[in-house]
Short mmCIF file of all heavy atoms in Angstrom, two decimals:
data_model
loop_
_atom_site.label_atom_id
_atom_site.label_comp_id
_atom_site.label_asym_id
_atom_site.label_seq_id
_atom_site.Cartn_x
_atom_site.Cartn_y
_atom_site.Cartn_z
N GLU A 1191 56.69 -35.66 -32.24
CA GLU A 1191 55.55 -36.44 -31.75
C GLU A 1191 55.51 -37.82 -32.38
O GLU A 1191 55.25 -38.82 -31.71
CB GLU A 1191 54.25 -35.68 -32.04
CG GLU A 1191 54.04 -34.47 -31.14
CD GLU A 1191 52.78 -33.71 -31.50
OE1 GLU A 1191 52.18 -34.02 -32.55
OE2 GLU A 1191 52.40 -32.79 -30.74
N GLU A 1192 55.77 -37.87 -33.70
CA GLU A 1192 55.78 -39.15 -34.39
C GLU A 1192 56.90 -40.04 -33.87
O GLU A 1192 56.74 -41.25 -33.70
CB GLU A 1192 55.94 -38.94 -35.90
CG GLU A 1192 54.69 -38.35 -36.55
CD GLU A 1192 54.91 -38.03 -38.02
OE1 GLU A 1192 56.02 -38.33 -38.52
OE2 GLU A 1192 53.98 -37.50 -38.65
N SER A 1193 58.06 -39.43 -33.63
CA SER A 1193 59.19 -40.18 -33.09
C SER A 1193 58.86 -40.75 -31.71
O SER A 1193 59.18 -41.90 -31.40
CB SER A 1193 60.43 -39.27 -33.00
OG SER A 1193 61.50 -39.95 -32.38
N HIS A 1194 58.19 -39.91 -30.90
CA HIS A 1194 57.80 -40.36 -29.56
C HIS A 1194 56.83 -41.52 -29.63
O HIS A 1194 56.94 -42.50 -28.88
CB HIS A 1194 57.17 -39.19 -28.80
CG HIS A 1194 56.68 -39.56 -27.43
ND1 HIS A 1194 57.53 -39.80 -26.38
CD2 HIS A 1194 55.42 -39.75 -26.96
CE1 HIS A 1194 56.83 -40.11 -25.30
NE2 HIS A 1194 55.54 -40.09 -25.63
N LYS A 1195 55.87 -41.43 -30.56
CA LYS A 1195 54.89 -42.51 -30.73
C LYS A 1195 55.56 -43.80 -31.19
O LYS A 1195 55.21 -44.89 -30.72
CB LYS A 1195 53.82 -42.09 -31.74
CG LYS A 1195 52.85 -41.04 -31.20
CD LYS A 1195 51.84 -40.64 -32.26
CE LYS A 1195 50.88 -39.57 -31.73
NZ LYS A 1195 49.93 -39.14 -32.77
N ARG A 1196 56.53 -43.67 -32.10
CA ARG A 1196 57.25 -44.86 -32.57
C ARG A 1196 58.02 -45.52 -31.45
O ARG A 1196 58.05 -46.75 -31.31
CB ARG A 1196 58.19 -44.49 -33.72
CG ARG A 1196 57.50 -44.24 -35.06
CD ARG A 1196 58.49 -44.29 -36.20
NE ARG A 1196 59.53 -43.28 -36.08
CZ ARG A 1196 59.43 -42.04 -36.57
NH1 ARG A 1196 58.34 -41.69 -37.23
NH2 ARG A 1196 60.41 -41.18 -36.41
N LYS A 1197 58.68 -44.69 -30.62
CA LYS A 1197 59.45 -45.22 -29.50
C LYS A 1197 58.53 -45.91 -28.49
O LYS A 1197 58.86 -46.96 -27.94
CB LYS A 1197 60.24 -44.10 -28.81
CG LYS A 1197 61.41 -43.59 -29.64
CD LYS A 1197 62.14 -42.46 -28.92
CE LYS A 1197 63.32 -41.96 -29.74
NZ LYS A 1197 64.01 -40.82 -29.08
N ALA A 1198 57.36 -45.28 -28.23
CA ALA A 1198 56.41 -45.87 -27.29
C ALA A 1198 55.89 -47.20 -27.81
O ALA A 1198 55.76 -48.17 -27.06
CB ALA A 1198 55.25 -44.90 -27.05
N ALA A 1199 55.60 -47.25 -29.11
CA ALA A 1199 55.11 -48.50 -29.72
C ALA A 1199 56.19 -49.57 -29.67
O ALA A 1199 55.91 -50.74 -29.39
CB ALA A 1199 54.68 -48.25 -31.16
N ALA A 1200 57.44 -49.16 -29.93
CA ALA A 1200 58.55 -50.12 -29.90
C ALA A 1200 58.74 -50.67 -28.49
O ALA A 1200 58.99 -51.86 -28.30
CB ALA A 1200 59.83 -49.46 -30.38
N ALA A 1201 58.61 -49.77 -27.49
CA ALA A 1201 58.75 -50.21 -26.10
C ALA A 1201 57.65 -51.18 -25.72
O ALA A 1201 57.88 -52.17 -25.02
CB ALA A 1201 58.72 -48.99 -25.17
N LYS A 1202 56.44 -50.90 -26.20
CA LYS A 1202 55.31 -51.79 -25.92
C LYS A 1202 55.52 -53.15 -26.57
O LYS A 1202 55.26 -54.20 -25.96
CB LYS A 1202 54.03 -51.14 -26.45
CG LYS A 1202 52.75 -51.81 -25.96
CD LYS A 1202 51.54 -50.99 -26.36
CE LYS A 1202 50.26 -51.63 -25.85
NZ LYS A 1202 49.07 -50.84 -26.23
N ASP A 1203 56.01 -53.15 -27.82
CA ASP A 1203 56.28 -54.41 -28.52
C ASP A 1203 57.37 -55.20 -27.81
O ASP A 1203 57.31 -56.43 -27.71
CB ASP A 1203 56.70 -54.13 -29.97
CG ASP A 1203 55.54 -53.62 -30.81
OD1 ASP A 1203 54.39 -53.78 -30.38
OD2 ASP A 1203 55.81 -53.04 -31.89
N PHE A 1204 58.40 -54.47 -27.34
CA PHE A 1204 59.49 -55.14 -26.63
C PHE A 1204 58.99 -55.78 -25.34
O PHE A 1204 59.34 -56.92 -25.03
CB PHE A 1204 60.59 -54.13 -26.29
CG PHE A 1204 61.71 -54.71 -25.45
CD1 PHE A 1204 62.66 -55.54 -26.02
CD2 PHE A 1204 61.78 -54.45 -24.10
CE1 PHE A 1204 63.68 -56.09 -25.25
CE2 PHE A 1204 62.78 -54.98 -23.32
CZ PHE A 1204 63.74 -55.81 -23.90
N ALA A 1205 58.13 -55.05 -24.60
CA ALA A 1205 57.58 -55.60 -23.36
C ALA A 1205 56.75 -56.84 -23.65
O ALA A 1205 56.81 -57.83 -22.91
CB ALA A 1205 56.71 -54.54 -22.65
N ALA A 1206 55.99 -56.80 -24.73
CA ALA A 1206 55.17 -57.96 -25.10
C ALA A 1206 56.05 -59.15 -25.47
O ALA A 1206 55.79 -60.28 -25.07
CB ALA A 1206 54.25 -57.60 -26.26
N ALA A 1207 57.11 -58.88 -26.24
CA ALA A 1207 58.02 -59.95 -26.64
C ALA A 1207 58.73 -60.54 -25.43
O ALA A 1207 58.93 -61.75 -25.33
CB ALA A 1207 59.05 -59.42 -27.64
N LEU A 1208 59.09 -59.67 -24.49
CA LEU A 1208 59.77 -60.12 -23.28
C LEU A 1208 58.83 -60.98 -22.44
O LEU A 1208 59.22 -62.02 -21.91
CB LEU A 1208 60.25 -58.92 -22.47
CG LEU A 1208 61.17 -59.21 -21.28
CD1 LEU A 1208 62.42 -59.93 -21.73
CD2 LEU A 1208 61.52 -57.92 -20.56
N ALA A 1209 57.58 -60.55 -22.35
CA ALA A 1209 56.58 -61.34 -21.61
C ALA A 1209 56.41 -62.71 -22.26
O ALA A 1209 56.32 -63.73 -21.58
CB ALA A 1209 55.24 -60.61 -21.59
N PHE A 1210 56.40 -62.75 -23.58
CA PHE A 1210 56.29 -64.00 -24.32
C PHE A 1210 57.45 -64.93 -23.98
O PHE A 1210 57.28 -66.11 -23.70
CB PHE A 1210 56.27 -63.69 -25.82
CG PHE A 1210 56.15 -64.92 -26.69
CD1 PHE A 1210 54.91 -65.46 -26.97
CD2 PHE A 1210 57.27 -65.53 -27.23
CE1 PHE A 1210 54.78 -66.59 -27.77
CE2 PHE A 1210 57.16 -66.65 -28.03
CZ PHE A 1210 55.92 -67.17 -28.30
N HIS A 1211 58.65 -64.36 -23.96
CA HIS A 1211 59.85 -65.15 -23.67
C HIS A 1211 59.86 -65.64 -22.23
O HIS A 1211 60.16 -66.81 -21.97
CB HIS A 1211 61.09 -64.29 -23.94
CG HIS A 1211 62.37 -64.90 -23.44
ND1 HIS A 1211 62.96 -66.00 -24.04
CD2 HIS A 1211 63.15 -64.58 -22.38
CE1 HIS A 1211 64.06 -66.32 -23.38
NE2 HIS A 1211 64.19 -65.48 -22.37
N LEU A 1212 59.52 -64.76 -21.30
CA LEU A 1212 59.63 -65.08 -19.89
C LEU A 1212 58.56 -66.06 -19.41
O LEU A 1212 58.69 -66.65 -18.35
CB LEU A 1212 59.56 -63.80 -19.05
CG LEU A 1212 60.77 -62.88 -19.21
CD1 LEU A 1212 60.47 -61.53 -18.59
CD2 LEU A 1212 62.02 -63.48 -18.58
N THR A 1213 57.51 -66.20 -20.15
CA THR A 1213 56.47 -67.15 -19.77
C THR A 1213 56.59 -68.45 -20.55
O THR A 1213 55.65 -69.21 -20.67
CB THR A 1213 55.07 -66.55 -19.99
OG1 THR A 1213 54.96 -66.11 -21.35
CG2 THR A 1213 54.82 -65.38 -19.07
N GLY A 1214 57.77 -68.70 -21.09
CA GLY A 1214 58.03 -69.97 -21.74
C GLY A 1214 57.47 -70.04 -23.14
O GLY A 1214 57.26 -71.13 -23.68
N GLY A 1215 57.22 -68.89 -23.77
CA GLY A 1215 56.74 -68.89 -25.13
C GLY A 1215 55.24 -68.81 -25.25
O GLY A 1215 54.71 -68.63 -26.33
N ASP A 1216 54.51 -68.92 -24.15
CA ASP A 1216 53.05 -68.80 -24.17
C ASP A 1216 52.70 -67.37 -23.78
O ASP A 1216 52.85 -66.99 -22.63
CB ASP A 1216 52.40 -69.78 -23.20
CG ASP A 1216 52.63 -71.22 -23.63
OD1 ASP A 1216 52.49 -71.49 -24.82
OD2 ASP A 1216 52.97 -72.04 -22.76
N PHE A 1217 52.21 -66.61 -24.74
CA PHE A 1217 51.95 -65.20 -24.47
C PHE A 1217 50.84 -65.04 -23.45
O PHE A 1217 49.77 -65.62 -23.57
CB PHE A 1217 51.58 -64.47 -25.76
CG PHE A 1217 51.30 -63.02 -25.53
CD1 PHE A 1217 52.34 -62.15 -25.29
CD2 PHE A 1217 50.01 -62.54 -25.51
CE1 PHE A 1217 52.10 -60.81 -25.06
CE2 PHE A 1217 49.75 -61.21 -25.27
CZ PHE A 1217 50.80 -60.34 -25.06
N VAL A 1218 51.12 -64.26 -22.42
CA VAL A 1218 50.14 -63.94 -21.40
C VAL A 1218 49.96 -62.42 -21.42
O VAL A 1218 50.92 -61.68 -21.23
CB VAL A 1218 50.59 -64.40 -20.00
CG1 VAL A 1218 49.49 -64.13 -18.98
CG2 VAL A 1218 50.95 -65.87 -20.01
N LYS A 1219 48.74 -61.98 -21.65
CA LYS A 1219 48.48 -60.56 -21.77
C LYS A 1219 48.30 -59.93 -20.40
O LYS A 1219 47.55 -60.45 -19.57
CB LYS A 1219 47.22 -60.33 -22.61
CG LYS A 1219 46.92 -58.87 -22.90
CD LYS A 1219 45.68 -58.74 -23.76
CE LYS A 1219 45.37 -57.28 -24.05
NZ LYS A 1219 44.14 -57.13 -24.88
N PRO A 1220 48.98 -58.80 -20.13
CA PRO A 1220 48.79 -58.13 -18.83
C PRO A 1220 47.34 -57.70 -18.64
O PRO A 1220 46.66 -57.31 -19.60
CB PRO A 1220 49.72 -56.91 -18.93
CG PRO A 1220 50.72 -57.27 -19.98
CD PRO A 1220 49.99 -58.13 -20.96
N VAL A 1221 46.87 -57.76 -17.40
CA VAL A 1221 45.51 -57.31 -17.11
C VAL A 1221 45.51 -55.90 -16.53
O VAL A 1221 44.45 -55.28 -16.43
CB VAL A 1221 44.81 -58.27 -16.13
CG1 VAL A 1221 44.63 -59.64 -16.76
CG2 VAL A 1221 45.57 -58.38 -14.81
N ILE A 1222 46.67 -55.39 -16.14
CA ILE A 1222 46.73 -54.01 -15.69
C ILE A 1222 47.07 -53.12 -16.89
O ILE A 1222 47.66 -53.58 -17.87
CB ILE A 1222 47.74 -53.80 -14.55
CG1 ILE A 1222 49.18 -53.96 -15.04
CG2 ILE A 1222 47.48 -54.75 -13.39
CD1 ILE A 1222 50.20 -53.54 -14.00
N ASP A 1223 46.69 -51.88 -16.81
CA ASP A 1223 46.86 -50.94 -17.92
C ASP A 1223 48.30 -50.45 -17.97
O ASP A 1223 48.74 -49.67 -17.11
CB ASP A 1223 45.90 -49.77 -17.74
CG ASP A 1223 45.87 -48.84 -18.95
OD1 ASP A 1223 46.71 -49.01 -19.85
OD2 ASP A 1223 45.00 -47.95 -18.98
N LEU A 1224 49.04 -50.88 -18.97
CA LEU A 1224 50.45 -50.49 -19.09
C LEU A 1224 50.62 -49.09 -19.68
O LEU A 1224 51.75 -48.60 -19.79
CB LEU A 1224 51.21 -51.51 -19.94
CG LEU A 1224 51.33 -52.91 -19.34
CD1 LEU A 1224 52.15 -53.82 -20.24
CD2 LEU A 1224 51.93 -52.86 -17.94
N GLU A 1225 49.52 -48.47 -20.08
CA GLU A 1225 49.59 -47.09 -20.55
C GLU A 1225 49.62 -46.11 -19.37
O GLU A 1225 50.05 -44.97 -19.51
CB GLU A 1225 48.39 -46.78 -21.45
CG GLU A 1225 48.32 -47.60 -22.72
CD GLU A 1225 49.52 -47.39 -23.62
OE1 GLU A 1225 50.03 -46.26 -23.69
OE2 GLU A 1225 49.97 -48.38 -24.24
N LYS A 1226 49.14 -46.56 -18.21
CA LYS A 1226 49.11 -45.71 -17.02
C LYS A 1226 50.46 -45.69 -16.33
O LYS A 1226 51.32 -46.55 -16.56
CB LYS A 1226 48.07 -46.23 -16.03
CG LYS A 1226 46.63 -45.97 -16.40
CD LYS A 1226 45.73 -46.39 -15.24
CE LYS A 1226 44.28 -46.02 -15.50
NZ LYS A 1226 43.42 -46.38 -14.34
N THR A 1227 50.63 -44.71 -15.45
CA THR A 1227 51.77 -44.71 -14.54
C THR A 1227 51.24 -45.01 -13.14
O THR A 1227 50.09 -44.69 -12.81
CB THR A 1227 52.52 -43.37 -14.53
OG1 THR A 1227 51.61 -42.33 -14.18
CG2 THR A 1227 53.13 -43.09 -15.89
N TYR A 1228 52.07 -45.61 -12.30
CA TYR A 1228 51.62 -46.09 -11.00
C TYR A 1228 52.51 -45.57 -9.87
O TYR A 1228 53.70 -45.29 -10.06
CB TYR A 1228 51.63 -47.62 -10.97
CG TYR A 1228 50.63 -48.23 -11.91
CD1 TYR A 1228 50.94 -48.48 -13.25
CD2 TYR A 1228 49.34 -48.54 -11.48
CE1 TYR A 1228 50.01 -49.01 -14.13
CE2 TYR A 1228 48.40 -49.09 -12.34
CZ TYR A 1228 48.75 -49.32 -13.66
OH TYR A 1228 47.82 -49.85 -14.54
N GLY A 1229 51.89 -45.45 -8.71
CA GLY A 1229 52.63 -45.21 -7.49
C GLY A 1229 52.87 -46.54 -6.81
O GLY A 1229 51.95 -47.36 -6.69
N ILE A 1230 54.10 -46.80 -6.40
CA ILE A 1230 54.46 -48.06 -5.76
C ILE A 1230 54.63 -47.84 -4.27
O ILE A 1230 55.30 -46.89 -3.85
CB ILE A 1230 55.77 -48.64 -6.35
CG1 ILE A 1230 55.68 -48.73 -7.87
CG2 ILE A 1230 56.08 -50.00 -5.73
CD1 ILE A 1230 54.59 -49.61 -8.40
N VAL A 1231 54.04 -48.72 -3.47
CA VAL A 1231 54.17 -48.65 -2.01
C VAL A 1231 54.85 -49.91 -1.51
O VAL A 1231 54.39 -51.02 -1.79
CB VAL A 1231 52.80 -48.47 -1.33
CG1 VAL A 1231 52.95 -48.57 0.19
CG2 VAL A 1231 52.19 -47.14 -1.69
N PHE A 1232 55.95 -49.75 -0.78
CA PHE A 1232 56.66 -50.85 -0.15
C PHE A 1232 56.50 -50.71 1.36
O PHE A 1232 56.93 -49.70 1.94
CB PHE A 1232 58.16 -50.81 -0.48
CG PHE A 1232 58.50 -51.13 -1.91
CD1 PHE A 1232 59.60 -50.52 -2.51
CD2 PHE A 1232 57.77 -52.04 -2.64
CE1 PHE A 1232 59.95 -50.82 -3.82
CE2 PHE A 1232 58.10 -52.34 -3.95
CZ PHE A 1232 59.20 -51.73 -4.55
N ASP A 1233 55.92 -51.71 2.02
CA ASP A 1233 55.83 -51.64 3.47
C ASP A 1233 57.10 -52.18 4.10
O ASP A 1233 58.03 -52.62 3.42
CB ASP A 1233 54.58 -52.36 3.99
CG ASP A 1233 54.61 -53.87 3.75
OD1 ASP A 1233 55.43 -54.32 2.95
OD2 ASP A 1233 53.79 -54.59 4.34
#
């Protein structure tokens, strides 16, 4: 469980760092809940 939590935290940190990089260094916080899972619909 602890290992899973560490991996989840690391993944979250990585996503945040990637967002920071991809937005030109200005951190933009997601407004959707990244803890949830989503269904994707493509028309």
Side-chain angles (χ1 to χ4, degrees):
E1191 287 177 350
E1192 289 175 3
S1193 175
H1194 177 73
K1195 287 179 181 178
R1196 285 197 299 271
K1197 288 179 180 178
K1202 192 172 181 180
D1203 290 344
F1204 175 76
L1208 189 59
F1210 180 85
H1211 169 71
L1212 292 168
T1213 55
D1216 294 316
F1217 180 74
V1218 184
K1219 185 178 180 181
V1221 296
I1222 69 170
D1223 188 351
L1224 295 182
E1225 297 299 324
K1226 286 187 174 182
T1227 57
Y1228 294 87
I1230 307 299
V1231 173
F1232 291 148
D1233 66 345

